[in-house]
Amino acid sequence: MTSTTLDGGAAAPAEGNLKSRLRRAERLRKLKAIGLVAPLALFLVVVFVVPIGSMLLNSVDNGSLRQVMPQTASALAQWDGEGLPGEATFAAFAEELRDSRRGGGLGSVGRRLNYENPEYRGLLMRTLMGLPAESDDWRATLIDIDPAWGETATWRGIQAAAPPRTDRYLLASLDLERGADGEIQRVDQQDRLYQAVFQRTLVIAGGVTLICLALGFPLAYLLATLPAKTSNLLMILVLLPFWTSLLVRTAAWIILLQSNGLANQTLQTLGLIESPLQLVFNRTGVFFAMVHILLPFMVLPLYSVMKGISPSYQRAAVSLGAHPFAAFWQVYAPQTLSGVAAGTILVFIMALGYYITPALVGGPADQMVSYYVAYYTNTTNNWGMAAALGSILLAVTLLLYLVYHRLVNRKQLIGS
Amino acid sequence: MPNPSNDPSPDPSTSLIRFAAVQKTYDGEQLVVKDLNLAIEPGEFVTLLGPSGSGKTTCLMMLAGFEVPTSGDIFLRDQRLNSVPPHKRNFGMVFQNYALFPHMTVEENIRYPLKTRRLPAAEADRKVSEILDMIQLRDFAKRRPAQLSGGQQQRVALARSLVFEPQLVLMDEPLGALDKQLREQMQLEIKHLHEQLGLTVVFVTHDQSEALTMSDRVAVFNDGVIQQIDTPSNLYEYPANAFVAQFIGENNTLAGRVESVEGERCRARFGEGLATGALLGPGLGVGDATHLSIRPERVKLNGAARALPNRLPARVHEFIYLGDHLRVRCALPGNDDFVARVPVDDFDADMKPGDTIELGWRDEDVRALDAP
Ligand SMILES: Nc1ncnc2c1ncn2[C@@H]1O[C@H](COP(=O)(O)OP(=O)(O)O)[C@@H](O)[C@H]1O
Ligand SMILES: [Mg+2]
């Protein structure tokens, strides 16, 4: 005991010295490592982090009313939402409405206000036409031009568009809205859409993942156990789909699966069916095309894991008295778990974002979240909704991933 | 022939395992196992020894049921094994890389064969517990194989193959991955287990000292053919052919020709105009080419050689000091790399490389074997 303490005391200064030398030696190595990853890191920031960040921001951005009509916005921020706002607010609004025509801000304000109520654009135009140069009583003047300005709801709509941030898009993406009293509530039955879309997206992605696993697992096993010559040939067949464009492959499925397509004709010739089956422009078509495209992403990670599992494990199990099937399930399959985990998460996440394939081979009831994101960006220019749907999809994906990661990690801990 | 066990193969009627004219080819062109006849007695420790690629693993795999003989039969007592699937054979097996299931603990690994046999839990618990004590790994029962050292993994693999009391234990180079010291320790442990539990073991190795240490009988393989099956001491003292002489222990070879035969003995010429008496190996007659085999420890030097019947001069290349003995490498007509092994006490310190010395041996220290 004593000698240990003495030794420790004597070694301490030398040890400190050693540590600083180690740190110096490590510093250079770290700098080199940072230098090596810097280009990639920069690339990722520019094309990944920034766009995603701005998308997340877009989903809560309340539009341009605040820029175009700053005084109206701040005046309405004070208003309690009862009765009508004060004369000062009317005056500021009239002033800024007139100015907005010159700056070109009117269009964007109109678009934003139309999300509150589609009457707004017309109202703004009418008001602008009738707006006098001067007025002593702007409140009366405006109500005179259009009685809508005498209604509390009109001003509440503008007030809702005034703050810099809003949750209306995120709420709308979940079929929710704020009621007249500001409480969150579900939208009317006939307007509900997105909860069903998210549910459908998860169901399709999950189904595609399961089918890919069911088809890919035996295939990967075959690839990993066949002699190299045969398995290389099969591997080329697995990778073949990558050599053709996604659009071409999807179009090919339409041709194959349509009512007078090859599949239906063959089945009819064989006498298995009497009238053509509806195989495309519905859920069946979506599954066919998506499974076909995503299967390699399941097979490759499974194959690489299976390739590393020595056949002697199964032989050992059999020599210990296990039936070959039992040996497979009890000894081989658990060792493939990391590959199953990688393959399913890869396919699932890719499937969640699918848009072109369901759009081409699915029916109206098979469109996934990405379809609506594309619709809002390309067709209606509603960046807020597009971003909100995207953000929620991202959040759901991350959440599922975390849950999955915990589940698999616990299992894998057993595996390694 | 001065071979004390003239017929080393046991009586087939009592044997546990019998290979009868077994042949095996993988590709339909080359026979990997050429005509295997081998009987194994209950309680025996038999080693298949041979260089890499000589077909040892193939034989073991046929016995275990993972490969099918191309022709011939394998019998377990009088039951033909060919149609018995491997999981019904009830043989314990230890693989070279141990093949411990990485996702199971030590205990679960050992319990696995009991689970497949649907043993009642209480009995399985007892057996696992007993064998954990035997391999002294009770404290490691809850660990996974990756958390064990090579020697510990080896013990677990052994325990797993023994816990269900198999009628036969097969081991394919089970010690190949261990370092020398651990390997020697495990050799003795396996040997002792074999004796204590009365196991029948078929052991595969390419390491001749391992085979000699552990086995009751050793089958020396080369090129898919058993060259000789015998006890370790007979293999060493009475090799049946030049391959066995060369493969087992250290050996000097002189290429020569049989000149005359007298009962078990003969005279053979070698080098240029040299001759020695020798024991006549199997299948040789007057005029046949022969490989004369002499163990280094039987070769005497200078003074010690004086009284011996066969003497000849040799030129010393070098001395290699090995603690308890010296190896003297020298050149003599017909062999440039002839080794004599001399106890350190008998060594004459005046000798230097380049000196000419006299070597000598008795007739019975030389075996005239057929030249391969
Ligand atoms: N599964 C196999 N397929 C084809 N050839 C094999 C196979 N297993 C072994 N061989 C060949 O058979 C010969 C003997 O192999 P093996 O029995 O493993 O020898 P050993 O165990 O003595 O090293 C070798 O030439 C090897 O290449
Ligand atoms: Mg081998």
Side-chain angles (χ1 to χ4, degrees):
Chain A
M1 196 64 217
T2 322
S3 78
T4 321
T5 323
L6 280 177
D7 277 349
E15 193 180 289
N17 195 2
L18 200 61
K19 266 190 188 150
S20 73
R21 268 187 294 161
L22 175 69
R23 220 173 301 132
R24 219 172 306 133
E26 296 271 291
R27 199 173 308 145
L28 190 66
R29 226 166 43 90
K30 266 187 209 151
L31 280 178
K32 270 189 204 157
I34 291 173
L36 285 174
V37 297
L40 176 64
L42 197 70
F43 176 78
L44 284 180
V45 166
V46 171
V47 306
F48 209 69
V49 177
V50 172
I52 287 187
S54 80
M55 178 198 81
L56 291 177
L57 285 181
N58 257 332
S59 68
V60 293
D61 191 274
N62 207 5
S64 51
L65 188 106
R66 203 171 181 77
Q67 277 99 52
V68 180
M69 302 181 165
Q71 282 172 33
T72 312
S74 56
L76 280 173
Q78 318 286 321
W79 182 46
D80 60 1
E82 298 297 328
L84 285 178
E87 169 65 16
T89 313
F90 276 86
F93 175 70
E95 201 95 346
E96 288 176 329
L97 180 63
R98 189 166 42 232
D99 292 348
S100 72
R101 190 156 46 168
R102 259 173 282 135
L106 185 62
S108 63
V109 168
R111 183 160 359 100
R112 169 64 185 86
L113 287 176
N114 258 21
Y115 298 153
E116 301 292 334
N117 187 331
E119 306 281 300
Y120 270 110
R121 201 193 298 263
L123 176 63
L124 289 181
M125 291 321 253
R126 273 197 305 282
T127 312
L128 197 57
M129 301 283 228
L131 208 61
E134 292 290 335
S135 173
D136 293 337
D137 185 352
W138 281 112
R139 184 195 300 223
T141 312
L142 283 177
I143 294 174
D144 205 32
I145 296 172
D146 196 314
W149 295 118
E151 287 166 28
T152 311
T154 309
W155 291 99
R156 279 217 186 126
I158 299 178
Q159 190 186 31
R165 303 270 168 256
T166 178
D167 55 6
R168 58 172 289 115
Y169 301 116
L170 289 171
L171 290 177
S173 300
L174 296 169
D175 292 341
L176 300 172
E177 64 182 1
R178 283 196 186 273
D181 51 0
E183 287 292 294
I184 293 175
Q185 64 187 39
R186 299 195 66 179
V187 299
D188 293 340
Q189 185 76 39
Q190 74 270 15
D191 293 337
R192 288 179 199 166
L193 171 63
Y194 298 117
Q195 284 189 6
V197 169
F198 276 110
Q199 205 176 346
R200 175 193 305 158
T201 304
L202 293 178
V203 165
I204 291 180
V208 166
T209 308
L210 287 182
I211 299 174
C212 278
L213 182 62
L215 296 177
F217 194 94
L219 179 58
Y221 182 69
L222 194 69
L223 285 173
T225 46
L226 278 180
K229 224 168 89 185
T230 332
S231 78
N232 283 345
L233 186 73
L234 279 178
M235 188 49 105
I236 291 175
L237 294 181
V238 169
L239 296 179
L240 206 58
F242 283 135
W243 300 355
T244 8
S245 114
L246 187 127
L247 273 175
V248 172
R249 277 181 282 160
T250 309
W253 277 113
I254 298 178
I255 295 168
L256 274 175
L257 298 177
Q258 63 195 346
S259 298
N260 54 357
L262 195 61
N264 269 315
Q265 280 180 4
T266 310
L267 289 175
Q268 275 175 303
T269 315
L270 290 175
L272 294 175
I273 52 171
E274 292 187 350
S275 55
L277 295 173
Q278 182 62 35
L279 295 175
V280 75
F281 308 125
N282 59 11
R283 197 58 66 86
T284 317
V286 172
F287 276 126
F288 265 114
M290 283 181 69
V291 166
H292 172 234
I293 292 163
L294 290 171
L295 192 58
F297 296 98
M298 180 66 81
V299 172
L300 291 177
L302 277 174
Y303 170 76
S304 77
V305 168
M306 287 174 171
K307 197 76 191 158
I309 301 176
S310 158
S312 69
Y313 289 116
Q314 276 186 90
R315 286 191 162 181
V318 168
S319 82
L320 295 170
H323 188 275
F325 285 130
F328 183 86
W329 281 115
Q330 292 165 358
V331 170
Y332 188 85
Q335 294 189 57
T336 63
L337 214 83
S338 60
V340 173
T344 47
I345 201 76
L346 197 62
V347 169
F348 184 73
I349 288 181
M350 289 182 75
L352 277 182
Y354 257 56
Y355 143 60
I356 294 185
T357 307
L360 289 179
V361 298
D366 304 311
Q367 300 311 319
M368 297 166 70
V369 173
S370 307
Y371 171 84
Y372 292 91
V373 175
Y375 169 76
Y376 280 119
T377 33
N378 299 339
T379 312
T380 68
N381 239 349
N382 184 346
W383 287 93
M385 271 314 282
L389 286 169
S391 303
I392 289 177
L393 185 61
L394 182 66
V396 170
T397 310
L398 285 179
L399 192 74
L400 284 173
Y401 177 73
L402 284 181
V403 170
Y404 184 81
H405 189 73
R406 291 192 68 140
L407 284 180
V408 169
N409 249 21
R410 192 164 310 143
K411 285 228 184 84
Q412 261 188 343
L413 240 149
I414 301 165
S416 59
Chain B
M1 207 163 71
N3 188 332
S5 65
N6 265 337
D7 179 17
S9 57
D11 178 6
S13 60
T14 66
S15 49
L16 180 69
I17 293 292
R18 195 157 55 85
F19 285 82
V22 170
Q23 294 192 327
K24 174 73 184 176
T25 171
Y26 286 106
D27 51 11
E29 286 168 17
Q30 195 201 352
L31 280 175
V32 172
V33 174
K34 278 175 191 151
D35 176 35
L36 183 70
N37 291 287
L38 172 66
I40 296 162
E41 293 293 282
E44 234 188 341
F45 195 120
V46 173
T47 296
L48 312 184
L49 171 68
S52 171
S54 57
K56 312 177 296 286
T57 298
T58 304
C59 289
L60 207 69
M61 288 301 160
M62 289 191 288
L63 187 49
F66 295 120
E67 295 291 351
V68 185
T70 310
S71 71
D73 295 307
I74 303 173
F75 293 95
L76 171 68
R77 301 218 158 77
D78 44 14
Q79 179 195 13
R80 195 164 160 274
L81 269 184
N82 299 38
S83 52
V84 180
H87 64 281
K88 298 236 172 90
R89 294 199 180 188
N90 202 31
F91 296 164
M93 191 151 183
V94 182
F95 293 80
Q96 174 159 16
N97 58 3
Y98 317 133
L100 294 178
F101 307 140
H103 57 296
M104 297 185 193
T105 62
V106 165
E107 193 183 352
E108 287 164 344
N109 262 284
I110 297 177
R111 188 187 295 271
Y112 190 81
L114 304 178
K115 206 172 86 183
T116 62
R117 285 170 175 75
R118 303 220 162 77
L119 233 66
E123 202 182 338
D125 284 342
R126 186 179 54 76
K127 289 197 173 196
V128 171
S129 162
E130 272 176 22
I131 207 142
L132 275 172
D133 283 336
M134 194 174 82
I135 58 167
Q136 296 164 9
L137 285 180
R138 172 166 293 288
D139 297 341
F140 297 81
K142 298 284 180 231
R143 294 218 192 162
R144 295 189 190 288
Q147 299 166 303
L148 300 182
S149 73
Q152 290 166 336
Q153 292 185 23
Q154 168 64 60
R155 284 209 184 85
V156 176
L158 208 57
R160 189 177 68 174
S161 73
L162 296 178
V163 69
F164 58 100
E165 291 160 21
Q167 49 194 335
L168 179 68
V169 185
L170 312 177
M171 306 191 189
D172 190 359
E173 312 221 9
L175 309 178
L178 303 180
D179 60 48
K180 185 169 180 297
Q181 211 168 356
L182 200 53
R183 192 161 66 225
E184 286 170 0
Q185 183 193 335
M186 287 304 300
Q187 285 170 7
L188 291 180
E189 279 186 32
I190 293 175
K191 178 88 188 136
H192 294 155
L193 276 177
H194 160 247
E195 284 158 4
Q196 276 167 28
L197 305 178
L199 304 170
T200 311
V201 180
V202 180
F203 190 96
V204 165
T205 182
H206 64 265
D207 178 343
Q208 49 103 4
S209 77
E210 189 164 291
L212 298 185
T213 308
M214 304 178 75
S215 324
D216 295 327
R217 283 193 303 146
V218 178
V220 182
F221 271 69
N222 189 34
D223 216 7
V225 175
I226 294 189
Q227 306 287 325
Q228 187 174 3
I229 314 177
D230 217 325
T231 60
S233 67
N234 280 347
L235 279 181
Y236 190 84
E237 301 291 344
Y238 310 106
N241 59 35
F243 176 82
V244 177
Q246 201 64 44
F247 198 74
I248 306 276
E250 223 185 333
N251 184 55
N252 293 301
T253 307
L254 297 166
R257 194 166 289 281
V258 181
E259 191 183 46
S260 62
V261 175
E262 240 175 83
E264 295 175 339
R265 307 233 173 171
C266 67
R267 268 200 90 66
R269 299 215 149 267
F270 67 95
E272 268 139 45
L274 296 174
T276 177
L279 295 173
L280 187 64
L284 279 180
V286 175
D288 288 346
T290 179
H291 275 178
L292 300 164
S293 148
I294 312 166
R295 299 286 183 197
E297 69 273 19
R298 299 298 169 92
V299 179
K300 302 286 186 255
L301 265 61
N302 289 343
R306 201 147 298 151
L308 298 174
N310 308 296
R311 287 190 305 279
L312 72 171
R315 181 183 199 68
V316 177
H317 285 315
E318 62 177 337
F319 304 103
I320 300 156
Y321 176 76
L322 287 166
D324 59 333
H325 71 272
L326 273 151
R327 289 158 52 83
V328 182
R329 279 187 55 228
C330 45
L332 48 81
N335 189 338
D336 258 359
D337 190 9
F338 195 92
V339 177
R341 193 181 143 133
V342 189
V344 169
D345 289 346
D346 300 358
F347 183 64
D348 174 2
D350 289 344
M351 278 195 282
K352 295 183 296 298
D355 285 358
T356 299
I357 54 170
E358 193 175 43
L359 303 180
W361 54 76
R362 301 177 302 170
D363 289 355
E364 54 268 40
D365 293 332
V366 185
R367 284 178 64 84
L369 300 169
D370 57 348

